[in-house]
Every structure is written in C-alpha cells, then in structure tokens.
Amino acid sequence: MKNTTLIYMEKDNKYLMMLRGRKADDPNSGKWIGVGGHIEEGETPDECIRREVTEETGLILLDQKLRGIIYFISDIYETEYMYLYTSDSFEGELNTGCDEGELEWIDISEVGNLPLWEGDRKFLKLLREDAPFFVMGLRYSGDALVSDSFRFP
C-alpha cells in the first residue's frame, strides 16, 4: 500500500492543475490532477505536501488545510491512501518546467470539463461545496470507477 498527498492550490478562483504525461508508465497520464506525490519514509503528510509543492511548482506553501483522506482500491493498481489538501496561502514564482506534467491555472468552474479520474470528480464536488473533513473510498476496476462511499467523521 502506498501513501500519497494531493493539493488543490487556489488563486483568483482558479486551481493549479497538472496535466500528467511526462513520466513513463504514469497511470495518471493524460489526466489533470492537483499537485502532490508519495510520502517518503519518516515524512508526515504535511511535510510531504510542502516538499512536493516546492519540487513540482517552485511555490512555497505558507499554510494548507487537510480536507479529507481518500482510499483508492483497484484490481490493477496498488492500494493507495491519499491525504487531500487545499491552500490559498503560498508565495513565489510558478515554475512551469515540472518534469511530471504541464502546470496551468484553470477556472474552478471549468475543472469538471477536463479529463479527470471519475473519483476525482467526487471529491472535487465536496471541495466546491466546502464540505467538512471527509473520508472517501473509491473502488476501481481498471480505470473505471465501480463504487464510491464517503462519510464525515
């Protein structure tokens, strides 16, 4: 099982999104996602998301809010526990030369029109509704979402 982080950074009613596709064998290739990555040994989720944001964007998080924990269960991918964050508090200059994908500020109202994982649409809806902290389970068969559940602990 792997542990990861993901953040949706917000500025001027836009999310910083990444179109994945620059790494070989990337299961996210061709899809738009937020910024994040794998939690390293000895690292907390908060430390991970701050490190990943700086590595992938050049920006420095000043504050972030943990919004939920998402469990991805799949018949072809390793089970993943993901810590989901949002932030509108960061500084620095955006470095668009990320080696994992193309970074772009996208109007929040347009994010749903992008090629996304179906499960991402579920938790993005909760973020748009400013839902309280949630736990979500997403079960996939191949790349198809077959079930989802969520609760507010």
Side-chain angles (χ1 to χ4, degrees), residues 49-88:
I49 199 59
R50 288 192 300 270
R51 174 183 54 76
E52 289 285 350
V53 164
T54 300
E55 287 176 2
E56 294 181 358
T57 71
L59 300 172
I60 298 168
L61 278 178
L62 302 176
D63 192 31
Q64 68 275 348
K65 182 177 180 182
L66 181 61
R67 303 294 300 277
I69 298 175
I70 300 160
Y71 309 114
F72 297 93
I73 301 166
S74 168
D75 60 348
I76 61 173
Y77 301 115
E78 181 180 7
T79 297
E80 176 180 346
Y81 286 16
M82 183 182 78
Y83 297 81
L84 179 65
Y85 293 88
T86 56
S87 178
D88 61 3

Side-chain angles (χ1 to χ4, degrees), residues 17-56:
M17 301 291 291
M18 181 186 295
L19 175 59
R20 296 290 294 253
R22 293 186 178 160
K23 289 173 66 177
D25 300 322
D26 182 352
N28 293 306
S29 186
K31 298 212 174 24
W32 289 86
I33 63 171
V35 174
H38 294 85
I39 299 173
E40 295 179 354
E41 183 65 34
E43 189 174 52
T44 68
D46 283 354
E47 292 167 339
C48 173
I49 199 59
R50 288 192 300 270
R51 174 183 54 76
E52 289 285 350
V53 164
T54 300
E55 287 176 2
E56 294 181 358

Side-chain angles (χ1 to χ4, degrees), residues 48-152:
C48 173
I49 199 59
R50 288 192 300 270
R51 174 183 54 76
E52 289 285 350
V53 164
T54 300
E55 287 176 2
E56 294 181 358
T57 71
L59 300 172
I60 298 168
L61 278 178
L62 302 176
D63 192 31
Q64 68 275 348
K65 182 177 180 182
L66 181 61
R67 303 294 300 277
I69 298 175
I70 300 160
Y71 309 114
F72 297 93
I73 301 166
S74 168
D75 60 348
I76 61 173
Y77 301 115
E78 181 180 7
T79 297
E80 176 180 346
Y81 286 16
M82 183 182 78
Y83 297 81
L84 179 65
Y85 293 88
T86 56
S87 178
D88 61 3
S89 181
F90 47 89
E91 64 184 11
E93 293 291 322
L94 181 63
N95 173 7
T96 57
C98 178
D99 64 354
E100 295 191 20
E102 174 187 333
L103 292 167
E104 187 174 336
W105 290 101
I106 307 282
D107 282 356
I108 292 173
S109 63
E110 296 297 317
V111 168
N113 298 326
L114 299 172
L116 305 169
W117 287 99
E118 285 307 308
D120 290 19
R121 294 179 194 286
K122 304 280 185 181
F123 58 76
L124 282 163
K125 181 178 186 291
L126 292 175
L127 295 180
R128 279 192 315 277
E129 295 170 352
D130 200 27
F133 182 85
F134 58 89
V135 176
M136 178 176 278
L138 300 169
R139 186 173 300 273
Y140 283 86
S141 176
D143 289 346
L145 182 66
V146 294
S147 68
D148 65 89
S149 64
F150 68 92
R151 62 186 173 85
F152 303 105

